[in-house]
Amino acid sequence: MNIAQIMKQAQKMHEQMARIQEELANKTVEASAGGGMVTVIANGRQEVLSVKISPEVINPQDSGMLEDLVAAAVNEALRLSRELLQEEMTKLTGGLRIPGLTV
């Protein structure tokens, strides 16, 4: 393989990565905590899009529980989002571990 072929392949991979990043912005994951009392939706770019809190979990005397539920749901949504990203990158790299392209 000559340098021109390598550069062409690198450009193709770069274009595929850009396409995947665009697609990930439109893919979502959902996670909840407290038996669905707090639900978080995130996209494939690890951005939290929404947080839904059931009214019955809102207790001014126990804000710590609500804070814990929100943190747990956000962390799970972000974990699922990273898994989604990893799946897409594995498709791109064919399972190869390429530094800078894996999460």
Side-chain angles (χ1 to χ4, degrees), residues 11 14 17 23-24 29-30 55-56 60 64 83:
Q11 178 62 31
H14 178 72
M17 280 182 56
E23 290 172 2
L24 286 171
V29 294
E30 182 176 306
E56 58 265 19
E83 282 182 10

Side-chain angles (χ1 to χ4, degrees), residues 19-20 23-24 27-29 44 46 79-97 101-103:
R19 181 184 47 79
I20 287 171
E23 290 172 2
L24 286 171
K27 292 184 179 184
T28 60
V29 294
Q46 288 84 57
R79 185 189 68 76
L80 292 171
S81 177
R82 284 189 299 271
E83 282 182 10
L84 180 63
L85 173 61
Q86 188 64 51
E87 288 171 15
E88 293 300 318
M89 294 306 289
T90 298
K91 289 177 192 175
L92 174 64
T93 64
L96 295 174
R97 299 294 235 169
L101 292 182
T102 55
V103 196

Side-chain angles (χ1 to χ4, degrees), residues 13-60:
M13 187 172 277
H14 178 72
E15 290 168 2
Q16 289 173 326
M17 280 182 56
R19 181 184 47 79
I20 287 171
Q21 288 176 340
E22 276 297 314
E23 290 172 2
L24 286 171
N26 297 317
K27 292 184 179 184
T28 60
V29 294
E30 182 176 306
S32 62
M37 300 294 259
V38 175
T39 302
V40 173
I41 297 175
N43 67 17
R45 288 183 167 173
Q46 288 84 57
E47 299 167 331
V48 173
L49 302 176
S50 72
V51 176
K52 293 191 170 89
I53 300 171
S54 296
E56 58 265 19
V57 77
I58 300 172
N59 178 353

